[in-house]
mmCIF file with all atom_site columns, all heavy atoms in Angstrom:
data_model
loop_
_atom_site.group_PDB
_atom_site.id
_atom_site.type_symbol
_atom_site.label_atom_id
_atom_site.label_alt_id
_atom_site.label_comp_id
_atom_site.label_asym_id
_atom_site.label_entity_id
_atom_site.label_seq_id
_atom_site.pdbx_PDB_ins_code
_atom_site.Cartn_x
_atom_site.Cartn_y
_atom_site.Cartn_z
_atom_site.occupancy
_atom_site.B_iso_or_equiv
_atom_site.pdbx_formal_charge
_atom_site.auth_seq_id
_atom_site.auth_comp_id
_atom_site.auth_asym_id
_atom_site.auth_atom_id
_atom_site.pdbx_PDB_model_num
ATOM 1   N N   . TRP A 1 1  ? 97.556  -30.187 86.464  1.00 80.00 ? 1  TRP A N   1
ATOM 2   C CA  . TRP A 1 1  ? 96.148  -30.202 86.832  1.00 80.00 ? 1  TRP A CA  1
ATOM 3   C C   . TRP A 1 1  ? 95.372  -29.295 85.910  1.00 80.00 ? 1  TRP A C   1
ATOM 4   O O   . TRP A 1 1  ? 95.699  -28.125 85.747  1.00 80.00 ? 1  TRP A O   1
ATOM 5   C CB  . TRP A 1 1  ? 95.970  -29.709 88.297  1.00 80.00 ? 1  TRP A CB  1
ATOM 6   C CG  . TRP A 1 1  ? 94.542  -29.710 88.725  1.00 80.00 ? 1  TRP A CG  1
ATOM 7   C CD1 . TRP A 1 1  ? 93.768  -28.569 88.898  1.00 80.00 ? 1  TRP A CD1 1
ATOM 8   C CD2 . TRP A 1 1  ? 93.654  -30.772 88.956  1.00 80.00 ? 1  TRP A CD2 1
ATOM 9   N NE1 . TRP A 1 1  ? 92.500  -28.908 89.286  1.00 80.00 ? 1  TRP A NE1 1
ATOM 10  C CE2 . TRP A 1 1  ? 92.374  -30.274 89.299  1.00 80.00 ? 1  TRP A CE2 1
ATOM 11  C CE3 . TRP A 1 1  ? 93.825  -32.170 88.855  1.00 80.00 ? 1  TRP A CE3 1
ATOM 12  C CZ2 . TRP A 1 1  ? 91.319  -31.079 89.589  1.00 80.00 ? 1  TRP A CZ2 1
ATOM 13  C CZ3 . TRP A 1 1  ? 92.744  -32.977 89.174  1.00 80.00 ? 1  TRP A CZ3 1
ATOM 14  C CH2 . TRP A 1 1  ? 91.502  -32.457 89.524  1.00 80.00 ? 1  TRP A CH2 1
ATOM 15  N N   . ASP A 1 2  ? 94.353  -29.867 85.254  1.00 72.00 ? 2  ASP A N   1
ATOM 16  C CA  . ASP A 1 2  ? 93.625  -29.098 84.246  1.00 72.00 ? 2  ASP A CA  1
ATOM 17  C C   . ASP A 1 2  ? 92.156  -28.964 84.605  1.00 72.00 ? 2  ASP A C   1
ATOM 18  O O   . ASP A 1 2  ? 91.303  -29.026 83.699  1.00 72.00 ? 2  ASP A O   1
ATOM 19  C CB  . ASP A 1 2  ? 93.813  -29.814 82.896  1.00 72.00 ? 2  ASP A CB  1
ATOM 20  C CG  . ASP A 1 2  ? 93.542  -28.865 81.729  1.00 72.00 ? 2  ASP A CG  1
ATOM 21  O OD1 . ASP A 1 2  ? 93.297  -27.644 81.994  1.00 72.00 ? 2  ASP A OD1 1
ATOM 22  O OD2 . ASP A 1 2  ? 93.524  -29.317 80.569  1.00 72.00 ? 2  ASP A OD2 1
ATOM 23  N N   . GLY A 1 3  ? 91.829  -28.775 85.841  1.00 71.00 ? 3  GLY A N   1
ATOM 24  C CA  . GLY A 1 3  ? 90.459  -28.569 86.275  1.00 71.00 ? 3  GLY A CA  1
ATOM 25  C C   . GLY A 1 3  ? 89.564  -29.716 85.879  1.00 71.00 ? 3  GLY A C   1
ATOM 26  O O   . GLY A 1 3  ? 89.762  -30.841 86.347  1.00 71.00 ? 3  GLY A O   1
ATOM 27  N N   . LEU A 1 4  ? 88.594  -29.496 85.046  1.00 71.00 ? 4  LEU A N   1
ATOM 28  C CA  . LEU A 1 4  ? 87.616  -30.512 84.720  1.00 71.00 ? 4  LEU A CA  1
ATOM 29  C C   . LEU A 1 4  ? 88.245  -31.708 84.039  1.00 71.00 ? 4  LEU A C   1
ATOM 30  O O   . LEU A 1 4  ? 87.741  -32.838 84.106  1.00 71.00 ? 4  LEU A O   1
ATOM 31  C CB  . LEU A 1 4  ? 86.516  -29.931 83.795  1.00 71.00 ? 4  LEU A CB  1
ATOM 32  C CG  . LEU A 1 4  ? 85.592  -28.848 84.450  1.00 71.00 ? 4  LEU A CG  1
ATOM 33  C CD1 . LEU A 1 4  ? 84.680  -28.304 83.428  1.00 71.00 ? 4  LEU A CD1 1
ATOM 34  C CD2 . LEU A 1 4  ? 84.840  -29.526 85.640  1.00 71.00 ? 4  LEU A CD2 1
ATOM 35  N N   . LEU A 1 5  ? 89.320  -31.478 83.335  1.00 72.00 ? 5  LEU A N   1
ATOM 36  C CA  . LEU A 1 5  ? 89.991  -32.577 82.591  1.00 72.00 ? 5  LEU A CA  1
ATOM 37  C C   . LEU A 1 5  ? 90.836  -33.444 83.518  1.00 72.00 ? 5  LEU A C   1
ATOM 38  O O   . LEU A 1 5  ? 91.316  -34.513 83.065  1.00 72.00 ? 5  LEU A O   1
ATOM 39  C CB  . LEU A 1 5  ? 90.812  -32.017 81.458  1.00 72.00 ? 5  LEU A CB  1
ATOM 40  C CG  . LEU A 1 5  ? 90.063  -31.299 80.295  1.00 72.00 ? 5  LEU A CG  1
ATOM 41  C CD1 . LEU A 1 5  ? 91.011  -30.776 79.286  1.00 72.00 ? 5  LEU A CD1 1
ATOM 42  C CD2 . LEU A 1 5  ? 89.076  -32.264 79.649  1.00 72.00 ? 5  LEU A CD2 1
ATOM 43  N N   . GLY A 1 6  ? 91.120  -32.969 84.717  1.00 77.00 ? 6  GLY A N   1
ATOM 44  C CA  . GLY A 1 6  ? 91.989  -33.703 85.593  1.00 77.00 ? 6  GLY A CA  1
ATOM 45  C C   . GLY A 1 6  ? 93.436  -33.495 85.168  1.00 77.00 ? 6  GLY A C   1
ATOM 46  O O   . GLY A 1 6  ? 93.797  -32.432 84.690  1.00 77.00 ? 6  GLY A O   1
ATOM 47  N N   . ASP A 1 7  ? 94.255  -34.476 85.341  1.00 83.00 ? 7  ASP A N   1
ATOM 48  C CA  . ASP A 1 7  ? 95.677  -34.419 84.991  1.00 83.00 ? 7  ASP A CA  1
ATOM 49  C C   . ASP A 1 7  ? 95.901  -34.559 83.456  1.00 83.00 ? 7  ASP A C   1
ATOM 50  O O   . ASP A 1 7  ? 95.297  -35.392 82.845  1.00 83.00 ? 7  ASP A O   1
ATOM 51  C CB  . ASP A 1 7  ? 96.477  -35.497 85.717  1.00 83.00 ? 7  ASP A CB  1
ATOM 52  C CG  . ASP A 1 7  ? 96.877  -35.067 87.122  1.00 83.00 ? 7  ASP A CG  1
ATOM 53  O OD1 . ASP A 1 7  ? 96.890  -33.874 87.380  1.00 83.00 ? 7  ASP A OD1 1
ATOM 54  O OD2 . ASP A 1 7  ? 97.224  -35.969 87.893  1.00 83.00 ? 7  ASP A OD2 1
ATOM 55  N N   . THR A 1 8  ? 96.746  -33.755 82.955  1.00 88.00 ? 8  THR A N   1
ATOM 56  C CA  . THR A 1 8  ? 97.283  -33.950 81.610  1.00 88.00 ? 8  THR A CA  1
ATOM 57  C C   . THR A 1 8  ? 98.771  -34.139 81.707  1.00 88.00 ? 8  THR A C   1
ATOM 58  O O   . THR A 1 8  ? 99.418  -33.591 82.620  1.00 88.00 ? 8  THR A O   1
ATOM 59  C CB  . THR A 1 8  ? 96.949  -32.755 80.700  1.00 88.00 ? 8  THR A CB  1
ATOM 60  O OG1 . THR A 1 8  ? 97.470  -31.566 81.249  1.00 88.00 ? 8  THR A OG1 1
ATOM 61  C CG2 . THR A 1 8  ? 95.459  -32.603 80.548  1.00 88.00 ? 8  THR A CG2 1
ATOM 62  N N   . SER A 1 9  ? 99.343  -34.869 80.792  1.00 94.00 ? 9  SER A N   1
ATOM 63  C CA  . SER A 1 9  ? 100.774 -35.160 80.822  1.00 94.00 ? 9  SER A CA  1
ATOM 64  C C   . SER A 1 9  ? 101.511 -34.526 79.673  1.00 94.00 ? 9  SER A C   1
ATOM 65  O O   . SER A 1 9  ? 100.962 -34.418 78.547  1.00 94.00 ? 9  SER A O   1
ATOM 66  C CB  . SER A 1 9  ? 100.986 -36.690 80.748  1.00 94.00 ? 9  SER A CB  1
ATOM 67  O OG  . SER A 1 9  ? 100.333 -37.338 81.805  1.00 94.00 ? 9  SER A OG  1
ATOM 68  N N   . VAL A 1 10 ? 102.715 -34.053 79.915  1.00 94.00 ? 10 VAL A N   1
ATOM 69  C CA  . VAL A 1 10 ? 103.544 -33.412 78.882  1.00 94.00 ? 10 VAL A CA  1
ATOM 70  C C   . VAL A 1 10 ? 104.910 -34.035 78.937  1.00 94.00 ? 10 VAL A C   1
ATOM 71  O O   . VAL A 1 10 ? 105.415 -34.281 80.053  1.00 94.00 ? 10 VAL A O   1
ATOM 72  C CB  . VAL A 1 10 ? 103.589 -31.884 79.139  1.00 94.00 ? 10 VAL A CB  1
ATOM 73  C CG1 . VAL A 1 10 ? 104.511 -31.218 78.126  1.00 94.00 ? 10 VAL A CG1 1
ATOM 74  C CG2 . VAL A 1 10 ? 102.236 -31.254 79.051  1.00 94.00 ? 10 VAL A CG2 1
ATOM 75  N N   . TYR A 1 11 ? 105.490 -34.236 77.794  1.00 97.00 ? 11 TYR A N   1
ATOM 76  C CA  . TYR A 1 11 ? 106.841 -34.873 77.750  1.00 97.00 ? 11 TYR A CA  1
ATOM 77  C C   . TYR A 1 11 ? 107.779 -34.060 76.854  1.00 97.00 ? 11 TYR A C   1
ATOM 78  O O   . TYR A 1 11 ? 107.334 -33.449 75.891  1.00 97.00 ? 11 TYR A O   1
ATOM 79  C CB  . TYR A 1 11 ? 106.670 -36.322 77.132  1.00 97.00 ? 11 TYR A CB  1
ATOM 80  C CG  . TYR A 1 11 ? 105.824 -37.197 77.942  1.00 97.00 ? 11 TYR A CG  1
ATOM 81  C CD1 . TYR A 1 11 ? 104.467 -37.343 77.781  1.00 97.00 ? 11 TYR A CD1 1
ATOM 82  C CD2 . TYR A 1 11 ? 106.370 -37.959 79.037  1.00 97.00 ? 11 TYR A CD2 1
ATOM 83  C CE1 . TYR A 1 11 ? 103.664 -38.207 78.505  1.00 97.00 ? 11 TYR A CE1 1
ATOM 84  C CE2 . TYR A 1 11 ? 105.602 -38.774 79.762  1.00 97.00 ? 11 TYR A CE2 1
ATOM 85  C CZ  . TYR A 1 11 ? 104.245 -38.878 79.528  1.00 97.00 ? 11 TYR A CZ  1
ATOM 86  O OH  . TYR A 1 11 ? 103.456 -39.731 80.329  1.00 97.00 ? 11 TYR A OH  1
ATOM 87  N N   . SER A 1 12 ? 109.041 -34.204 77.150  1.00 97.00 ? 12 SER A N   1
ATOM 88  C CA  . SER A 1 12 ? 110.033 -33.665 76.273  1.00 97.00 ? 12 SER A CA  1
ATOM 89  C C   . SER A 1 12 ? 110.119 -34.571 75.063  1.00 97.00 ? 12 SER A C   1
ATOM 90  O O   . SER A 1 12 ? 109.666 -35.718 75.072  1.00 97.00 ? 12 SER A O   1
ATOM 91  C CB  . SER A 1 12 ? 111.378 -33.601 76.964  1.00 97.00 ? 12 SER A CB  1
ATOM 92  O OG  . SER A 1 12 ? 111.852 -34.917 77.233  1.00 97.00 ? 12 SER A OG  1
ATOM 93  N N   . ASP A 1 13 ? 110.727 -34.088 74.008  1.00 97.00 ? 13 ASP A N   1
ATOM 94  C CA  . ASP A 1 13 ? 110.848 -34.894 72.789  1.00 97.00 ? 13 ASP A CA  1
ATOM 95  C C   . ASP A 1 13 ? 111.669 -36.183 73.122  1.00 97.00 ? 13 ASP A C   1
ATOM 96  O O   . ASP A 1 13 ? 111.404 -37.252 72.594  1.00 97.00 ? 13 ASP A O   1
ATOM 97  C CB  . ASP A 1 13 ? 111.542 -34.129 71.681  1.00 97.00 ? 13 ASP A CB  1
ATOM 98  C CG  . ASP A 1 13 ? 110.606 -33.096 71.069  1.00 97.00 ? 13 ASP A CG  1
ATOM 99  O OD1 . ASP A 1 13 ? 109.362 -33.199 71.300  1.00 97.00 ? 13 ASP A OD1 1
ATOM 100 O OD2 . ASP A 1 13 ? 111.081 -32.169 70.412  1.00 97.00 ? 13 ASP A OD2 1
ATOM 101 N N   . SER A 1 14 ? 112.707 -36.046 73.939  1.00 97.00 ? 14 SER A N   1
ATOM 102 C CA  . SER A 1 14 ? 113.534 -37.185 74.273  1.00 97.00 ? 14 SER A CA  1
ATOM 103 C C   . SER A 1 14 ? 112.822 -38.243 75.094  1.00 97.00 ? 14 SER A C   1
ATOM 104 O O   . SER A 1 14 ? 113.180 -39.419 75.079  1.00 97.00 ? 14 SER A O   1
ATOM 105 C CB  . SER A 1 14 ? 114.841 -36.750 74.979  1.00 97.00 ? 14 SER A CB  1
ATOM 106 O OG  . SER A 1 14 ? 114.525 -36.187 76.219  1.00 97.00 ? 14 SER A OG  1
ATOM 107 N N   . ALA A 1 15 ? 111.828 -37.804 75.854  1.00 97.00 ? 15 ALA A N   1
ATOM 108 C CA  . ALA A 1 15 ? 111.120 -38.708 76.774  1.00 97.00 ? 15 ALA A CA  1
ATOM 109 C C   . ALA A 1 15 ? 109.870 -39.340 76.107  1.00 97.00 ? 15 ALA A C   1
ATOM 110 O O   . ALA A 1 15 ? 109.393 -40.423 76.516  1.00 97.00 ? 15 ALA A O   1
ATOM 111 C CB  . ALA A 1 15 ? 110.673 -37.997 78.009  1.00 97.00 ? 15 ALA A CB  1
ATOM 112 N N   . LYS A 1 16 ? 109.330 -38.617 75.144  1.00 97.00 ? 16 LYS A N   1
ATOM 113 C CA  . LYS A 1 16 ? 108.116 -39.064 74.484  1.00 97.00 ? 16 LYS A CA  1
ATOM 114 C C   . LYS A 1 16 ? 108.233 -40.471 73.885  1.00 97.00 ? 16 LYS A C   1
ATOM 115 O O   . LYS A 1 16 ? 109.162 -40.814 73.246  1.00 97.00 ? 16 LYS A O   1
ATOM 116 C CB  . LYS A 1 16 ? 107.722 -38.092 73.370  1.00 97.00 ? 16 LYS A CB  1
ATOM 117 C CG  . LYS A 1 16 ? 106.261 -38.011 73.049  1.00 97.00 ? 16 LYS A CG  1
ATOM 118 C CD  . LYS A 1 16 ? 106.006 -36.883 72.095  1.00 97.00 ? 16 LYS A CD  1
ATOM 119 C CE  . LYS A 1 16 ? 106.279 -35.522 72.743  1.00 97.00 ? 16 LYS A CE  1
ATOM 120 N NZ  . LYS A 1 16 ? 105.970 -34.361 71.825  1.00 97.00 ? 16 LYS A NZ  1
ATOM 121 N N   . GLY A 1 17 ? 107.285 -41.352 74.244  1.00 97.00 ? 17 GLY A N   1
ATOM 122 C CA  . GLY A 1 17 ? 107.265 -42.690 73.766  1.00 97.00 ? 17 GLY A CA  1
ATOM 123 C C   . GLY A 1 17 ? 108.087 -43.681 74.611  1.00 97.00 ? 17 GLY A C   1
ATOM 124 O O   . GLY A 1 17 ? 107.980 -44.902 74.430  1.00 97.00 ? 17 GLY A O   1
ATOM 125 N N   . ARG A 1 18 ? 108.953 -43.173 75.460  1.00 98.00 ? 18 ARG A N   1
ATOM 126 C CA  . ARG A 1 18 ? 109.725 -44.045 76.345  1.00 98.00 ? 18 ARG A CA  1
ATOM 127 C C   . ARG A 1 18 ? 109.416 -43.910 77.808  1.00 98.00 ? 18 ARG A C   1
ATOM 128 O O   . ARG A 1 18 ? 109.545 -44.859 78.580  1.00 98.00 ? 18 ARG A O   1
ATOM 129 C CB  . ARG A 1 18 ? 111.251 -43.772 76.126  1.00 98.00 ? 18 ARG A CB  1
ATOM 130 C CG  . ARG A 1 18 ? 111.733 -44.028 74.759  1.00 98.00 ? 18 ARG A CG  1
ATOM 131 C CD  . ARG A 1 18 ? 113.275 -43.893 74.673  1.00 98.00 ? 18 ARG A CD  1
ATOM 132 N NE  . ARG A 1 18 ? 113.730 -42.564 75.090  1.00 98.00 ? 18 ARG A NE  1
ATOM 133 C CZ  . ARG A 1 18 ? 114.646 -42.384 76.051  1.00 98.00 ? 18 ARG A CZ  1
ATOM 134 N NH1 . ARG A 1 18 ? 115.176 -43.378 76.683  1.00 98.00 ? 18 ARG A NH1 1
ATOM 135 N NH2 . ARG A 1 18 ? 115.059 -41.132 76.368  1.00 98.00 ? 18 ARG A NH2 1
ATOM 136 N N   . PHE A 1 19 ? 109.021 -42.692 78.225  1.00 98.00 ? 19 PHE A N   1
ATOM 137 C CA  . PHE A 1 19 ? 108.748 -42.407 79.644  1.00 98.00 ? 19 PHE A CA  1
ATOM 138 C C   . PHE A 1 19 ? 107.260 -42.201 79.855  1.00 98.00 ? 19 PHE A C   1
ATOM 139 O O   . PHE A 1 19 ? 106.555 -41.712 78.968  1.00 98.00 ? 19 PHE A O   1
ATOM 140 C CB  . PHE A 1 19 ? 109.512 -41.165 80.100  1.00 98.00 ? 19 PHE A CB  1
ATOM 141 C CG  . PHE A 1 19 ? 111.027 -41.311 80.120  1.00 98.00 ? 19 PHE A CG  1
ATOM 142 C CD1 . PHE A 1 19 ? 111.680 -42.428 79.667  1.00 98.00 ? 19 PHE A CD1 1
ATOM 143 C CD2 . PHE A 1 19 ? 111.790 -40.227 80.545  1.00 98.00 ? 19 PHE A CD2 1
ATOM 144 C CE1 . PHE A 1 19 ? 113.052 -42.515 79.645  1.00 98.00 ? 19 PHE A CE1 1
ATOM 145 C CE2 . PHE A 1 19 ? 113.174 -40.300 80.564  1.00 98.00 ? 19 PHE A CE2 1
ATOM 146 C CZ  . PHE A 1 19 ? 113.804 -41.465 80.137  1.00 98.00 ? 19 PHE A CZ  1
ATOM 147 N N   . THR A 1 20 ? 106.794 -42.537 81.035  1.00 98.00 ? 20 THR A N   1
ATOM 148 C CA  . THR A 1 20 ? 105.415 -42.266 81.403  1.00 98.00 ? 20 THR A CA  1
ATOM 149 C C   . THR A 1 20 ? 105.362 -41.640 82.790  1.00 98.00 ? 20 THR A C   1
ATOM 150 O O   . THR A 1 20 ? 105.934 -42.184 83.711  1.00 98.00 ? 20 THR A O   1
ATOM 151 C CB  . THR A 1 20 ? 104.590 -43.583 81.414  1.00 98.00 ? 20 THR A CB  1
ATOM 152 O OG1 . THR A 1 20 ? 104.653 -44.231 80.174  1.00 98.00 ? 20 THR A OG1 1
ATOM 153 C CG2 . THR A 1 20 ? 103.157 -43.299 81.790  1.00 98.00 ? 20 THR A CG2 1
ATOM 154 N N   . VAL A 1 21 ? 104.700 -40.512 82.871  1.00 96.00 ? 21 VAL A N   1
ATOM 155 C CA  . VAL A 1 21 ? 104.564 -39.808 84.115  1.00 96.00 ? 21 VAL A CA  1
ATOM 156 C C   . VAL A 1 21 ? 103.105 -39.958 84.579  1.00 96.00 ? 21 VAL A C   1
ATOM 157 O O   . VAL A 1 21 ? 102.180 -39.962 83.807  1.00 96.00 ? 21 VAL A O   1
ATOM 158 C CB  . VAL A 1 21 ? 104.933 -38.336 84.010  1.00 96.00 ? 21 VAL A CB  1
ATOM 159 C CG1 . VAL A 1 21 ? 104.030 -37.592 83.030  1.00 96.00 ? 21 VAL A CG1 1
ATOM 160 C CG2 . VAL A 1 21 ? 104.959 -37.664 85.375  1.00 96.00 ? 21 VAL A CG2 1
ATOM 161 N N   . SER A 1 22 ? 102.949 -40.188 85.901  1.00 94.00 ? 22 SER A N   1
ATOM 162 C CA  . SER A 1 22 ? 101.622 -40.372 86.442  1.00 94.00 ? 22 SER A CA  1
ATOM 163 C C   . SER A 1 22 ? 101.580 -39.901 87.884  1.00 94.00 ? 22 SER A C   1
ATOM 164 O O   . SER A 1 22 ? 102.649 -39.756 88.492  1.00 94.00 ? 22 SER A O   1
ATOM 165 C CB  . SER A 1 22 ? 101.194 -41.827 86.356  1.00 94.00 ? 22 SER A CB  1
ATOM 166 O OG  . SER A 1 22 ? 102.040 -42.673 87.059  1.00 94.00 ? 22 SER A OG  1
ATOM 167 N N   . ARG A 1 23 ? 100.398 -39.696 88.376  1.00 92.00 ? 23 ARG A N   1
ATOM 168 C CA  . ARG A 1 23 ? 100.234 -39.236 89.734  1.00 92.00 ? 23 ARG A CA  1
ATOM 169 C C   . ARG A 1 23 ? 99.210  -40.046 90.443  1.00 92.00 ? 23 ARG A C   1
ATOM 170 O O   . ARG A 1 23 ? 98.166  -40.387 89.882  1.00 92.00 ? 23 ARG A O   1
ATOM 171 C CB  . ARG A 1 23 ? 99.807  -37.748 89.734  1.00 92.00 ? 23 ARG A CB  1
ATOM 172 C CG  . ARG A 1 23 ? 99.485  -37.234 91.127  1.00 92.00 ? 23 ARG A CG  1
ATOM 173 C CD  . ARG A 1 23 ? 99.119  -35.761 91.266  1.00 92.00 ? 23 ARG A CD  1
ATOM 174 N NE  . ARG A 1 23 ? 98.802  -34.961 90.123  1.00 92.00 ? 23 ARG A NE  1
ATOM 175 C CZ  . ARG A 1 23 ? 99.066  -33.643 90.104  1.00 92.00 ? 23 ARG A CZ  1
ATOM 176 N NH1 . ARG A 1 23 ? 99.653  -33.091 91.115  1.00 92.00 ? 23 ARG A NH1 1
ATOM 177 N NH2 . ARG A 1 23 ? 98.744  -32.904 89.046  1.00 92.00 ? 23 ARG A NH2 1
ATOM 178 N N   . ASP A 1 24 ? 99.485  -40.456 91.677  1.00 90.00 ? 24 ASP A N   1
ATOM 179 C CA  . ASP A 1 24 ? 98.527  -41.212 92.522  1.00 90.00 ? 24 ASP A CA  1
ATOM 180 C C   . ASP A 1 24 ? 98.282  -40.343 93.729  1.00 90.00 ? 24 ASP A C   1
ATOM 181 O O   . ASP A 1 24 ? 99.096  -40.337 94.670  1.00 90.00 ? 24 ASP A O   1
ATOM 182 C CB  . ASP A 1 24 ? 99.115  -42.569 92.897  1.00 90.00 ? 24 ASP A CB  1
ATOM 183 C CG  . ASP A 1 24 ? 98.117  -43.436 93.643  1.00 90.00 ? 24 ASP A CG  1
ATOM 184 O OD1 . ASP A 1 24 ? 97.113  -42.876 94.193  1.00 90.00 ? 24 ASP A OD1 1
ATOM 185 O OD2 . ASP A 1 24 ? 98.348  -44.609 93.764  1.00 90.00 ? 24 ASP A OD2 1
ATOM 186 N N   . ASN A 1 25 ? 97.187  -39.615 93.691  1.00 84.00 ? 25 ASN A N   1
ATOM 187 C CA  . ASN A 1 25 ? 96.906  -38.714 94.829  1.00 84.00 ? 25 ASN A CA  1
ATOM 188 C C   . ASN A 1 25 ? 96.584  -39.444 96.091  1.00 84.00 ? 25 ASN A C   1
ATOM 189 O O   . ASN A 1 25 ? 96.744  -38.900 97.207  1.00 84.00 ? 25 ASN A O   1
ATOM 190 C CB  . ASN A 1 25 ? 95.772  -37.755 94.495  1.00 84.00 ? 25 ASN A CB  1
ATOM 191 C CG  . ASN A 1 25 ? 96.229  -36.549 93.658  1.00 84.00 ? 25 ASN A CG  1
ATOM 192 O OD1 . ASN A 1 25 ? 97.418  -36.204 93.660  1.00 84.00 ? 25 ASN A OD1 1
ATOM 193 N ND2 . ASN A 1 25 ? 95.354  -35.919 92.919  1.00 84.00 ? 25 ASN A ND2 1
ATOM 194 N N   . SER A 1 26 ? 96.132  -40.699 96.028  1.00 86.00 ? 26 SER A N   1
ATOM 195 C CA  . SER A 1 26 ? 95.858  -41.446 97.274  1.00 86.00 ? 26 SER A CA  1
ATOM 196 C C   . SER A 1 26 ? 97.144  -41.742 98.036  1.00 86.00 ? 26 SER A C   1
ATOM 197 O O   . SER A 1 26 ? 97.131  -41.963 99.234  1.00 86.00 ? 26 SER A O   1
ATOM 198 C CB  . SER A 1 26 ? 95.165  -42.766 96.952  1.00 86.00 ? 26 SER A CB  1
ATOM 199 O OG  . SER A 1 26 ? 96.038  -43.637 96.216  1.00 86.00 ? 26 SER A OG  1
ATOM 200 N N   . LYS A 1 27 ? 98.282  -41.699 97.326  1.00 87.00 ? 27 LYS A N   1
ATOM 201 C CA  . LYS A 1 27 ? 99.571  -41.946 97.954  1.00 87.00 ? 27 LYS A CA  1
ATOM 202 C C   . LYS A 1 27 ? 100.437 -40.698 97.910  1.00 87.00 ? 27 LYS A C   1
ATOM 203 O O   . LYS A 1 27 ? 101.603 -40.728 98.355  1.00 87.00 ? 27 LYS A O   1
ATOM 204 C CB  . LYS A 1 27 ? 100.325 -43.053 97.185  1.00 87.00 ? 27 LYS A CB  1
ATOM 205 C CG  . LYS A 1 27 ? 99.580  -44.385 97.229  1.00 87.00 ? 27 LYS A CG  1
ATOM 206 C CD  . LYS A 1 27 ? 100.355 -45.424 96.440  1.00 87.00 ? 27 LYS A CD  1
ATOM 207 C CE  . LYS A 1 27 ? 99.598  -46.741 96.408  1.00 87.00 ? 27 LYS A CE  1
ATOM 208 N NZ  . LYS A 1 27 ? 100.281 -47.807 95.613  1.00 87.00 ? 27 LYS A NZ  1
ATOM 209 N N   . ASP A 1 28 ? 99.897  -39.570 97.365  1.00 89.00 ? 28 ASP A N   1
ATOM 210 C CA  . ASP A 1 28 ? 100.678 -38.327 97.249  1.00 89.00 ? 28 ASP A CA  1
ATOM 211 C C   . ASP A 1 28 ? 102.026 -38.573 96.574  1.00 89.00 ? 28 ASP A C   1
ATOM 212 O O   . ASP A 1 28 ? 103.024 -38.094 97.031  1.00 89.00 ? 28 ASP A O   1
ATOM 213 C CB  . ASP A 1 28 ? 100.873 -37.719 98.649  1.00 89.00 ? 28 ASP A CB  1
ATOM 214 C CG  . ASP A 1 28 ? 99.588  -37.095 99.211  1.00 89.00 ? 28 ASP A CG  1
ATOM 215 O OD1 . ASP A 1 28 ? 98.722  -36.665 98.416  1.00 89.00 ? 28 ASP A OD1 1
ATOM 216 O OD2 . ASP A 1 28 ? 99.390  -37.154 100.439 1.00 89.00 ? 28 ASP A OD2 1
ATOM 217 N N   . THR A 1 29 ? 101.965 -39.418 95.570  1.00 94.00 ? 29 THR A N   1
ATOM 218 C CA  . THR A 1 29 ? 103.196 -39.781 94.896  1.00 94.00 ? 29 THR A CA  1
ATOM 219 C C   . THR A 1 29 ? 103.072 -39.603 93.401  1.00 94.00 ? 29 THR A C   1
ATOM 220 O O   . THR A 1 29 ? 101.967 -39.850 92.801  1.00 94.00 ? 29 THR A O   1
ATOM 221 C CB  . THR A 1 29 ? 103.529 -41.265 95.206  1.00 94.00 ? 29 THR A CB  1
ATOM 222 O OG1 . THR A 1 29 ? 103.660 -41.437 96.593  1.00 94.00 ? 29 THR A OG1 1
ATOM 223 C CG2 . THR A 1 29 ? 104.837 -41.673 94.571  1.00 94.00 ? 29 THR A CG2 1
ATOM 224 N N   . ILE A 1 30 ? 104.156 -39.123 92.814  1.00 95.00 ? 30 ILE A N   1
ATOM 225 C CA  . ILE A 1 30 ? 104.252 -38.975 91.350  1.00 95.00 ? 30 ILE A CA  1
ATOM 226 C C   . ILE A 1 30 ? 105.276 -39.966 90.836  1.00 95.00 ? 30 ILE A C   1
ATOM 227 O O   . ILE A 1 30 ? 106.355 -40.113 91.456  1.00 95.00 ? 30 ILE A O   1
ATOM 228 C CB  . ILE A 1 30 ? 104.658 -37.550 90.990  1.00 95.00 ? 30 ILE A CB  1
ATOM 229 C CG1 . ILE A 1 30 ? 103.618 -36.536 91.538  1.00 95.00 ? 30 ILE A CG1 1
ATOM 230 C CG2 . ILE A 1 30 ? 104.772 -37.350 89.527  1.00 95.00 ? 30 ILE A CG2 1
ATOM 231 C CD1 . ILE A 1 30 ? 103.821 -36.113 92.977  1.00 95.00 ? 30 ILE A CD1 1
ATOM 232 N N   . PHE A 1 31 ? 104.981 -40.624 89.772  1.00 97.00 ? 31 PHE A N   1
ATOM 233 C CA  . PHE A 1 31 ? 105.873 -41.669 89.213  1.00 97.00 ? 31 PHE A CA  1
ATOM 234 C C   . PHE A 1 31 ? 106.436 -41.246 87.889  1.00 97.00 ? 31 PHE A C   1
ATOM 235 O O   . PHE A 1 31 ? 105.798 -40.523 87.100  1.00 97.00 ? 31 PHE A O   1
ATOM 236 C CB  . PHE A 1 31 ? 105.123 -42.983 89.092  1.00 97.00 ? 31 PHE A CB  1
ATOM 237 C CG  . PHE A 1 31 ? 104.476 -43.442 90.360  1.00 97.00 ? 31 PHE A CG  1
ATOM 238 C CD1 . PHE A 1 31 ? 103.174 -43.178 90.692  1.00 97.00 ? 31 PHE A CD1 1
ATOM 239 C CD2 . PHE A 1 31 ? 105.254 -44.148 91.304  1.00 97.00 ? 31 PHE A CD2 1
ATOM 240 C CE1 . PHE A 1 31 ? 102.559 -43.633 91.839  1.00 97.00 ? 31 PHE A CE1 1
ATOM 241 C CE2 . PHE A 1 31 ? 104.685 -44.621 92.507  1.00 97.00 ? 31 PHE A CE2 1
ATOM 242 C CZ  . PHE A 1 31 ? 103.335 -44.303 92.746  1.00 97.00 ? 31 PHE A CZ  1
#
């Protein structure tokens, strides 16, 4: 959580380009 910017995503080198992380606060779920 980055305040005004909302969510920002960070990845390991091994995950970058293959994995996607996201959050849906309406469902309190992170994917």
Side-chain angles (χ1 to χ4, degrees):
W1 177 252
D2 202 4
L4 293 176
L5 296 177
D7 274 340
T8 57
S9 302
V10 176
Y11 299 91
S12 67
D13 287 343
S14 64
K16 206 171 295 181
R18 299 189 299 126
F19 294 3
T20 302
V21 63
S22 60
R23 174 176 13 210
D24 185 343
N25 278 339
S26 68
K27 300 178 181 178
D28 290 327
T29 302
I30 300 86
F31 303 97

